[in-house]
Amino acid sequence: MNARTRTLIAAALVLGVASGPVVAHAAPAPGPAASAAPVVRTPPDAAALEKAIAGLGPEHKDATAALVRVGGTSGSWQGSSGVADIRTGREAVEQGRFRAGSVTKTFTAAVVLQLAAEGTVDLDRPVRQYLPRTVPDAYGTVTVRQLLNHTSGIPAADGAGDSFEAQWEHRFDVTDPQTQLANAFAKRPEFTPGTAQHYLNINYTVLGALVEKVTGTTYEEAVARRILKPLGLRQTSFPARTQTKIHGPHNRGYQAVVGADGSRELRDVTEWNSSDRWAAGDIISTTADLERFTIALFSGRIVPKAQLEEMFTVPAVKDFASGKDAALTAGMSRMVLPDGTVAWGKTGGRYGYNTAIGGTRDLSRTLVYSVNSTDAKGQDMNPVALGIVMAAFAR
């Protein structure tokens, strides 16, 4: 892969890790019939993948561990590197669980699209008609589809702050989704619904509330009944509202903190309450489970194919922050490599953990990784994660 390719991928994925989507060329996605791209026929480059995750551990600048699964009709590869715990130096757990962050949104979108297929939810219906006590008149025209593809104009709810230290001080806070919704809806819209795209968790918090209202059960139980249990995703779960630990085998997560004297500390961020992310980002899983989910999703075994098109359709609007063409879909986003290969997927970032799922639509190549990044919320793409992506999609 040449330098231009690496530069384009790096630029595309910065947004993907920092705020959720995996994005590339600015052009909107073509229609379903035009979305075919060159098939990945070569097997995964094992040497490149091994190099991408080599040497991880407490002394590595960017990551303490990584778990990778590359699959598809062109072949498969899996591997791990690094340590599970920097205190003991214990080898990374290849089947370990991790916080998958905003990959949760793909599960949420899948459930909503299932409900649409069943006729329980109309994607073009204002969400206020489903949640009249939650959504105020000012947001009365926002549709379910606009929540799915982040074109609602609903602003973010207030939080503890953007800095790591601010987040750290409130890491055990328990957040009520209804409180977040009330806070966000008390503000003015960022833009007229449907006229721009802004990736914000609040859209999927509203969708979580919608799922609960129309199914008559909790969001977590709805996902379990509709996706986790049918697919046998036994290592995938949602933490209880007050839960702070990752139950089961896992690799601990760390955040690099630089002191006033320039010293570098790896602070253990494994235990954290993620209730503030809920339906937008609190799922815990494994690479094996997420690979199974990705294959089933792309194959049309989770969401009927008519509704699945929503996950492969980019709205023809501009990104609210950058002014560039939108790249997000319902629960995923689109990346076009310079050789014409089109990949679809979702990234997630929680302190200590960067995650991604995705692949080509024809499933000739799939990728799932969890990187124990030492700056998982940083503005730049984690170099280890970037190396994995480049190696996985090398042709």
Side-chain angles (χ1 to χ4, degrees), residues 168-190:
W168 172 259
E169 290 300 318
H170 292 272
R171 67 192 183 281
F172 296 139
D173 288 3
V174 178
T175 303
D176 176 24
Q178 290 300 324
T179 300
Q180 288 185 311
L181 294 175
N183 180 280
F185 284 130
K187 303 176 184 180
R188 298 183 62 177
E190 289 188 323

Side-chain angles (χ1 to χ4, degrees), residues 308-326:
L308 186 60
E309 288 303 323
E310 295 290 333
M311 294 185 129
F312 296 98
T313 301
V314 179
V317 298
K318 300 292 184 180
D319 179 80
F320 178 69
S322 69
K324 297 179 180 179
D325 289 330

Side-chain angles (χ1 to χ4, degrees), residues 72-145:
T73 56
S74 58
S76 62
W77 182 92
Q78 66 184 71
S80 62
S81 177
V83 298
D85 188 331
I86 65 172
R87 296 173 302 170
T88 64
R90 182 167 52 92
E91 187 176 281
V93 182
E94 188 168 1
Q95 301 303 323
R97 301 177 187 181
F98 49 82
R99 300 188 190 280
S102 286
V103 169
T104 308
K105 293 182 178 68
T106 313
F107 285 78
T108 304
V111 170
V112 173
L113 292 173
Q114 284 182 351
L115 294 169
E118 295 163 8
T120 308
V121 168
D122 183 340
L123 299 185
D124 291 315
R125 187 177 178 184
V127 70
R128 189 173 189 275
Q129 294 183 21
Y130 298 100
L131 300 169
R133 296 183 180 180
T134 300
V135 182
D137 286 339
Y139 293 92
T141 64
V142 173
T143 66
V144 177
R145 178 178 278 108

Side-chain angles (χ1 to χ4, degrees), residues 365-383:
R365 177 61 43 83
T366 62
L367 170 65
V368 176
Y369 68 71
S370 170
V371 173
N372 289 88
S373 170
T374 56
D375 189 17
K377 289 289 188 178
Q379 291 301 304
D380 296 324
M381 173 71 172
N382 179 277

Side-chain angles (χ1 to χ4, degrees), residues 180-266:
Q180 288 185 311
L181 294 175
N183 180 280
F185 284 130
K187 303 176 184 180
R188 298 183 62 177
E190 289 188 323
F191 50 81
T192 301
T195 63
Q197 186 173 78
H198 192 185
Y199 179 82
L200 291 173
N201 286 336
I202 195 66
N203 291 296
Y204 278 69
T205 303
V206 180
L207 289 173
L210 171 66
V211 167
E212 293 197 331
K213 180 63 179 292
V214 300
T215 63
T217 188
T218 66
Y219 162 78
E220 294 83 358
E221 181 60 24
V223 177
R225 288 180 182 177
R226 291 171 168 273
I227 299 177
L228 305 189
K229 293 177 182 177
L231 291 182
L233 306 184
R234 296 180 179 85
Q235 309 305 315
T236 302
S237 63
F238 292 92
R241 193 64 54 84
T242 58
Q243 181 178 322
T244 61
K245 296 182 178 181
I246 300 176
H247 294 295
H250 60 276
N251 301 314
R252 302 193 71 82
Y254 301 90
Q255 172 72 20
V257 179
V258 179
D261 60 355
S263 61
R264 180 174 180 267
E265 167 200 358
L266 285 181

